[in-house]
Amino acid sequence: MIRKIVTVFFIGLIIPIVISSCRRDEQIQPATNNTGDTTQVFKPTPYSIEYPKGYLWPRLLANTTNPLTNEGVELGKKLFYDAILSASNTISCATCHKQEYAFTDNRRFSLGPNGEVGTRNSMPLFNLYGSELLPNSNTHRFMWDGSQPGLETQVLAPIMNPIEMNQSLAELERELRAHPIYPTLFKKAFGIDSITIKYVAMAISQFERILISGQSKFDLYKQGLAQLNESETRGMLVFGSEEKGDCFHCHGDIHFNPFFTNYRMHNNGLDSVIKDSGLFIMTGNPADIGKFKTPSLRNLSFTAPYMHDGRFNTLEQVVEFYNSGVYRKGYTDEFMRKHPEGLKLTEQDKADLIAFLKTLDDYNFINNPKLNVR
Amino acid sequence: MRITNFSKKLILILGILFFPALLMLSCNDEGSEVKKETNYDGQGLNYNTTGNLIINIIHLFNENNLTRGNKYVTDALDTISVNSLKYYVSNVQLKKSNGEWTNLKTYNLIDIEDPASLSNTISGIPAENYTKLKFNVGIDSAMNRAGVQDGDLSPLNDMFWSWTADFIFFRIKGNYSTNKAMTLDIGGNQHLMTVEVDLTTIKQSNQTNSITLAMNVANIFNKPNKYDLKTMSTDIHTANNADLPKLTQNINTSVFTLSLNK
């Protein structure tokens, strides 16, 4: 009797397993249409992000309209490195955003297709998703002047800008549709039969979201896997002390903010007479005159020159500017104005601060082959 | 001419022949859907079942049909001509008898150079009696911040400020005075326009109702604000232009009316 029950139980257990495994096999079969052609099945694999250790890293926003997939990220990477995006077919995103420089270039102003120069320094690209975590009311998410509210739309700005890639979107669609490989890749990533700009922007944005930098010496130190030397340790205190460097109001609390920026717009008092009015150009609000996005302090050894206009070539110049060169009146931010006499850092303080900042260089990030097409 | 008359007659004959058949079809359709008592009192648009609304748009300069390139004179005595006129009509809403609005979540780009864009059909309109129509000229802030889109909302339509990632809600381009160029682009969330149109002067109760909006270009420059091109901005490309509120107020209040002679 017991054996019977056990047998029935096992049969009852096995049948659903067999059935379910049959179903799984069926799903793996590629769909075929009536003509017998094998068509691509739209079944992208969700991309799983490996967040760095050390900090409790904030997670990417759940994105229902453009979820990260392996196929989407790979396509975005291919597009990022492809000069097909520019009218002249000579400039890709990577022309001005090179991995070896933490995805900026080493020029003060990048060059356009005919040697044109702009007025702003190419921004490094990493931890961009952090800016998407700003509250919804704050739409100044990207670009030095905060003019771009989202990554997907930001992508179009350099593509369309006459002194950058100078590309007609209609022409770009035509070129991609006629390409031997791209139609298949877009189909795999998004299930679409005809490439449109919408999906170009989505793919590149996906690649940009996975550019995460958080494997510096300081991150290892946070995990107890590396030691800071004496100078670096003192520099950390200069960074975090309100009486000394007072860096953390804009560049983040060293204990909790892994991004080393608050991603917000500030006028840091670069000039008494403002030449580039930054956020004001977009908003028309006088309170926004001279405001630019706070950049991250990670990877500084790779991202010179510094500031929105690339005016400083060295970190020594930058630190000296904050120490003694800030214009602390007018539209300058209150965090700068509260030190009317300057920071009064000693030579040792300045050297220590720079030594600490260099512990934020992430060599894994600039050498990671997964972020390149080589 | 003879051909036209003949085809008119043909359509009439075919219409008479097939009208009863159409009626029967619509009866069948009604039978399969949920009927609703709409308390139709003979005003506005009535739907006894889920139906469609065709919105046609005609463009005028006061009483005359607008012709591209023709010269017209505004109340501020500016001579203007229009080469391009493009704008978004979106979020068409209908006011129900209980006072609530039904948002039909539409986004249509109107372009005087594209005849197909001047007639748009909205389907899935819930059975109700509707007395007012409301729509945005432009794109609501949620969609304006929802990333790159396809179709009528694609940046390929050239209705997009790439440097701030804003839709251009409304564009009129042409000449004023003696061939001086004029481009008035309206965009930016703070400038979203809303037009309300009373429907109680019409009476339609079909599966597919149809209305025509008359868009009077003259009033963009005339009513209630006189927009004097000799002194005001003639080249607008940013949301923070100080003259924009004058234009948006005119478009909100005086530019669109219900046309009764279809």
Side-chain angles (χ1 to χ4, degrees), chain A residues 147-148 173 196 198 281-282 284, chain B residues 148 150 156 162-165 240:
Chain A
S147 56
Q148 294 290 335
E173 279 187 355
T196 64
K198 174 183 177 179
I281 297 168
M282 198 183 86
Chain B
V148 183
D150 276 337
L156 267 72
S162 62
W163 55 94
T164 56
N240 55 28

Side-chain angles (χ1 to χ4, degrees), chain A residues 1-9:
Chain A
M1 183 61 188
I2 291 168
R3 260 178 68 180
K4 238 184 183 173
I5 289 171
V6 171
T7 315
V8 169
F9 179 78

Side-chain angles (χ1 to χ4, degrees), chain B residues 4 85 115-116 120 146 150 154 157-158 168 172 181 187 193 213 215 224 232 238 243 256-257 260:
Chain B
T4 318
L85 177 60
N120 292 291
D150 276 337
S154 166
N157 297 317
D158 200 21
I168 298 170
I172 184 166
M193 294 157 274
L213 296 173
M215 198 274 198
M232 293 184 189
T238 57
D243 291 335
F256 291 91
T257 51
L260 297 177

Side-chain angles (χ1 to χ4, degrees), chain A residues 207-329:
Chain A
F207 175 61
E208 289 183 307
R209 287 195 178 98
I210 63 113
L211 296 174
I212 297 178
S213 173
Q215 296 187 70
S216 65
K217 179 180 177 184
F218 189 72
D219 297 291
L220 292 175
Y221 161 78
K222 292 277 289 180
Q223 299 165 64
L225 299 172
Q227 295 290 317
L228 298 190
N229 66 31
E230 285 180 15
S231 175
E232 291 162 352
T233 309
R234 286 195 304 268
M236 180 168 68
L237 297 175
V238 173
F239 179 96
S241 157
E242 215 159 357
E243 287 72 42
K244 291 213 166 180
D246 197 8
C247 311
F248 63 93
H249 279 113
C250 296
H251 291 287
D253 185 307
I254 210 162
H255 304 291
F256 305 111
N257 183 345
F259 301 122
F260 287 85
T261 168
N262 60 2
Y263 293 106
R264 289 172 186 271
M265 311 297 295
H266 297 281
N267 179 335
N268 60 347
L270 280 168
D271 297 300
S272 55
V273 179
I274 289 165
K275 297 177 210 112
D276 184 342
S277 42
L279 180 61
F280 170 80
I281 297 168
M282 198 183 86
T283 65
N285 179 357
D288 293 334
I289 289 175
K291 279 189 183 174
F292 291 94
K293 177 129 288 209
T294 309
S296 172
L297 298 183
R298 287 181 175 273
N299 298 313
L300 289 175
S301 293
F302 320 126
T303 60
Y306 307 104
M307 302 296 158
H308 69 270
D309 55 5
R311 64 176 66 188
F312 298 131
N313 287 320
T314 66
L315 285 178
E316 284 73 13
Q317 289 173 315
V318 174
V319 169
E320 192 51 55
F321 158 72
Y322 283 114
N323 184 49
S324 62
V326 174
Y327 178 71
R328 295 178 200 270
K329 295 179 207 159

Side-chain angles (χ1 to χ4, degrees), chain A residues 20-198:
Chain A
S20 67
S21 69
C22 288
R23 281 201 191 126
R24 216 172 292 140
D25 286 346
E26 278 167 12
Q27 282 177 358
I28 292 166
Q29 296 294 319
T32 52
N33 62 22
N34 292 336
T35 56
D37 291 335
T38 310
T39 54
Q40 302 290 339
V41 183
F42 176 54
K43 210 168 38 169
T45 318
Y47 184 94
S48 74
I49 288 193
E50 277 182 54
Y51 291 95
K53 299 181 178 71
Y55 282 99
L56 189 65
W57 282 73
R59 275 20 189 178
L60 265 88
L61 282 186
N63 190 332
T64 50
T65 53
N66 189 18
L68 291 183
T69 64
N70 289 351
E71 292 80 357
V73 168
E74 274 304 305
L75 172 57
K77 181 168 87 174
K78 187 175 167 61
L79 288 165
F80 185 90
Y81 282 96
D82 196 335
I84 197 171
L85 293 187
S86 62
S88 57
N89 289 327
T90 56
I91 296 176
S92 71
C93 304
T95 305
C96 308
H97 299 284
K98 293 182 165 74
Q99 187 185 9
E100 60 184 305
Y101 302 121
F103 292 97
T104 175
D105 58 10
N106 57 348
R107 303 183 57 88
R108 181 171 184 187
F109 303 121
S110 309
L111 296 180
N114 300 308
E116 304 95 325
V117 287
T119 55
R120 308 246 176 92
N121 185 241
S122 163
M123 295 189 92
L125 307 179
F126 55 82
N127 302 342
L128 296 174
Y129 81 91
S131 199
E132 297 183 307
L133 307 175
L134 288 174
N136 278 337
S137 56
N138 188 336
T139 56
H140 308 311
R141 292 202 162 81
F142 301 103
M143 307 297 248
W144 278 115
D145 61 3
S147 56
Q148 294 290 335
L151 270 186
E152 275 80 356
T153 41
Q154 187 282 329
V155 167
L156 300 185
I159 294 177
M160 296 171 78
N161 190 332
I163 63 164
E164 296 187 52
M165 291 163 140
N166 190 29
Q167 177 69 289
S168 127
L169 297 182
E171 173 61 22
L172 178 55
E173 279 187 355
R174 273 195 296 277
E175 284 182 40
L176 289 170
R177 285 171 187 168
H179 192 275
I181 300 164
Y182 277 118
T184 314
L185 297 181
F186 275 89
K187 176 110 183 173
K188 277 184 181 163
F190 299 111
I192 53 167
D193 289 315
S194 185
I195 298 171
T196 64
I197 285 300
K198 174 183 177 179

Side-chain angles (χ1 to χ4, degrees), chain B residues 88-93 134-140 192-195:
Chain B
Y88 282 104
V89 168
S90 67
N91 284 317
V92 167
Q93 298 187 53
K134 186 160 82 171
F135 58 89
N136 290 141
V137 176
I139 302 294
D140 58 271
L192 182 64
M193 294 157 274
T194 306
V195 174

Side-chain angles (χ1 to χ4, degrees), chain B residues 12 29 32 36 52 62 74 81 103 115 133 138 142-143 145 154 170 180 183 189 197 219 238-240 252 256:
Chain B
L12 195 69
D29 282 347
S32 64
K36 188 167 177 185
N52 313 306
N62 291 329
T74 69
S81 61
N103 189 336
L133 173 83
M143 182 57 89
R145 292 284 171 259
S154 166
F170 181 98
K180 290 183 192 165
T183 301
N189 288 331
V197 178
N219 281 352
T238 57
N240 55 28
N252 278 337
F256 291 91

